[in-house]
């Protein structure tokens, strides 16, 4: 049996004040709580953010200013609803298609890597990225009423772009991020920042004209590691979306912010003896030569069963690729990699970035060879330990390794992929080989009997994104990736049956 507690008025008053303080309120004179102190402050008035020089149209010198402007824009978008998001998606798809040639040429001239025709094509296909239609709420109905799970925005997303596809990734990210109801601030690669700013300005002008919202998509004009840091630390940024190599992925994951990381890859290809080697070769050239091998999903090294190797090499030649001799390969390897001492004291090949994404004719020159101007791809026979096999070199020079068995080919493929869990390809009609390789590689994309690009909806079923969240596991990003799931529950009512 409990004993009643005796409290004097002073003690009671103290307890009440403590409780109110705990709720975030303040006890004023007479012990009355200030209700406004317990309720979050209303959002600031959502007016356009202009510099003394006039409208910024999303291009900012300072990352923190960009975040504040994007937050204003996010609040305006929220007011205007899903129709406004759909309008932004439409604007981006229309503009990127209409300006594909102009922007592709601009990016090609700024970055000086890849191939002009593919730079343009990568922009023309941005329209394959899904939009607001992707966000179906999840509904439950039962004896206890109905429940709805809705996919709602975060607010401002901070996004990092690679130099390999600056405007394509930017445009695809905008569609996914804004379709989900967010605003975005980009920290592009310094080598592609002018291209990013060109597109951001055009998108904002069109969005402002159609919806009256300024700065829904922002970019840092001269991005640096410091501006990345500012973005990662800014409290308005609720989520990061990183597309790049191991350094930036690591930096984002250390930032303390939730990060969706589309990280590096080194996709292997396995060819067994059940397929038409000419067809396999044509697919390999199509994928491996695309934009001079800049695609993260691109074929980077080929393992082929010994007794199929000659037929495959002939097939590659028939598809236009040119084989380098052992001595030519040696010369090119010396130019493409240098050997530096790493922290562990072992020698480790370091990629010469000046040769990344360059034309085969340029690489051939480095190799002391001369090839026709239009050659799509070079290839050479190597062993599995070769730097062209083990490094993500992003050059149109494909190493081909002979293997004794499918098991050995899979083992080598696993070794060369380094556990990035990115992409892999097989050319085989044997379902056991396919299953064995899929299980061993455990990659986000696994393409059977097609070029890598079939994995992103180009010749295979599926939708497109230029950010494949491999490291953090969200997969091929889409509007849903950039949402928070929230549940709304109606107890015991509104179920109509
Ligand atoms: P990168 O890693 O050099 O640069 C990517 C971005 O990160 C750039 O904006 C760069 O400025 C920034 N960055 C680099 N190091 C940083 C650090 N320590 N802190 C903060 N920011 C940093 O890569 P890249 O050459 O621009 O692009 C190629 C790489 O991106 C390849 O590894 C490729 O596989 C990968 N990639 C992946 C996907 C995917 O969807 N998974 C798509 C495209 C490219």
């Amino acid at each position: 049996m409990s004993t009643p507690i005796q409290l004097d008025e002073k003690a009671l008053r103290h307890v009440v004040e403590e409780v109110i303080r705990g709720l975030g309120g303040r006890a004023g004179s007479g012990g009355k709580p200030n209700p406004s102190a317990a309720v979050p402050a209303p959002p600031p008035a959502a007016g356009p953010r202009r510099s003394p020089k006039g409208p910024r149209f999303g291009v900012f010198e300072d990352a923190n200013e960009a975040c504040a402007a994007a937050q204003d824009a996010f609040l305006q978008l929220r007011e205007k609803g899903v129709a406004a998001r759909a309008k932004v998606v439409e604007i981006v798809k229309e503009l990127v298609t209409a300006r594909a040639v102009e922007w592709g040429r601009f990016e090609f001239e700024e970055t000086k890597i890849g191939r002009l025709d593919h730079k343009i094509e990568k922009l023309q296909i941005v329209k394959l990225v899904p939009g607001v239609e992707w966000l179906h709420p999840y509904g439950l109905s039962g004896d206890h009423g109905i429940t709805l799970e809705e996919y709602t925005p975060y607010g401002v997303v901070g996004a990092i772009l690679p130099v390999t596809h600056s405007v394509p990734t930017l445009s695809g990210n905008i569609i996914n991020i804004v379709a989900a109801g967010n605003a975005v601030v980009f920290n592009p690669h310094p080598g592609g920042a002018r291209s990013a700013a060109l597109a951001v300005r055009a998108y904002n002008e069109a969005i402002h004209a159609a919806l009256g919202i300024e700065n829904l998509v922002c970019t840092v004009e001269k991005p640096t590691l410091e501006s990345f840091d500012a973005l990662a630390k800014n409290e308005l940024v609720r989520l990061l979306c990183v597309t790049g190599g191991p350094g930036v992925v690591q930096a984002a994951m250390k930032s303390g912010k939730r990060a969706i990381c589309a990280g590096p890859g080194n996709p292997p290809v396995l060819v067994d003896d059940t397929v038409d080697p000419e067809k396999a070769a044509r697919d390999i050239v199509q994928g491996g030569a695309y934009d001079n091998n800049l695609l993260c999903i691109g074929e980077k090294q080929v393992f082929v069963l010994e007794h199929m190797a000659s037929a495959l090499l002939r097939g590659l030649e028939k598809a236009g690729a040119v084989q380098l001799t052992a001595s030519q390969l040696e010369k090119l390897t010396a130019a493409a990699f240098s050997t530096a001492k790493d922290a562990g004291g072992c020698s480790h090949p370091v990629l010469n970035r000046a040769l990344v994404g360059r034309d085969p004719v340029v690489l051939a020159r480095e190799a002391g060879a001369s090839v026709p101007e239009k050659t799509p791809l070079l290839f050479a026979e190597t062993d599995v330990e070769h730097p062209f096999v083990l490094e993500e070199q992003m050059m149109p020079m494909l190493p081909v390794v002979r293997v004794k068995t499918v098991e050995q080919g899979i083992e080598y493929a696993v070794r060369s992929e380094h556990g990035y869990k990115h992409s892999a390809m097989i050319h085989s009609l044997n379902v056991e080989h396919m299953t064995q390789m899929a299980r061993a590689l455990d990659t986000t994309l696994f393409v059977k009997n097609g070029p890598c690009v079939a994995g992103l909806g180009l010749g295979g079923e599926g939708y497109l994104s230029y950010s494949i969240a491999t490291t953090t596991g969200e997969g091929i990003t889409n509007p849903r990736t950039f949402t928070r799931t929230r549940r709304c529950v109606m107890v015991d009512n509104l179920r109509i049956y």
Side-chain angles (χ1 to χ4, degrees), residues 317 322-336 362-371 378-382 386 388 397:
E317 272 172 347
V322 174
Q323 182 164 12
L324 296 182
T325 63
S327 64
Q328 289 167 342
L329 174 69
E330 202 177 320
K331 268 186 97 173
L332 178 60
T333 308
V362 174
L363 301 185
R365 217 176 290 137
E366 293 288 340
S370 160
V371 301
L378 305 176
F379 65 96
E381 282 203 59
T382 72
H386 198 278
F388 265 101
M397 202 319 283

Side-chain angles (χ1 to χ4, degrees), residues 53-78:
K53 296 176 208 149
R56 309 301 301 260
F57 290 121
V59 183
F60 287 81
E61 282 160 30
D62 180 66
N64 288 317
E65 248 189 81
C67 293
Q71 173 71 10
D72 284 354
F74 161 66
L75 296 173
Q76 293 173 61
L77 182 69
R78 191 169 71 178

Side-chain angles (χ1 to χ4, degrees), residues 169-182:
T169 311
L170 172 127
S171 305
N173 280 176
I174 293 173
I175 293 171
N176 280 327
I177 289 170
V178 175
N182 306 285

Side-chain angles (χ1 to χ4, degrees), residues 160-165 169 187-191 223-225 228-229 242-249 251-252 261-266 294-297 300 353 356 392 394 422 465-471:
I160 314 302
L161 300 173
V163 71
T164 46
H165 342 278
T169 311
N187 202 50
H189 190 289
T224 56
L225 289 182
F228 167 84
D229 207 41
V242 166
T243 308
V248 67
V249 166
C261 295
N266 196 33
L294 287 180
L295 295 181
C296 59
I297 59 169
K300 296 282 192 292
R353 300 277 312 194
V356 167
E392 188 197 18
M394 295 179 281
H422 199 300
S465 172
Y466 288 106
S467 297
I468 304 161
T470 46
T471 320

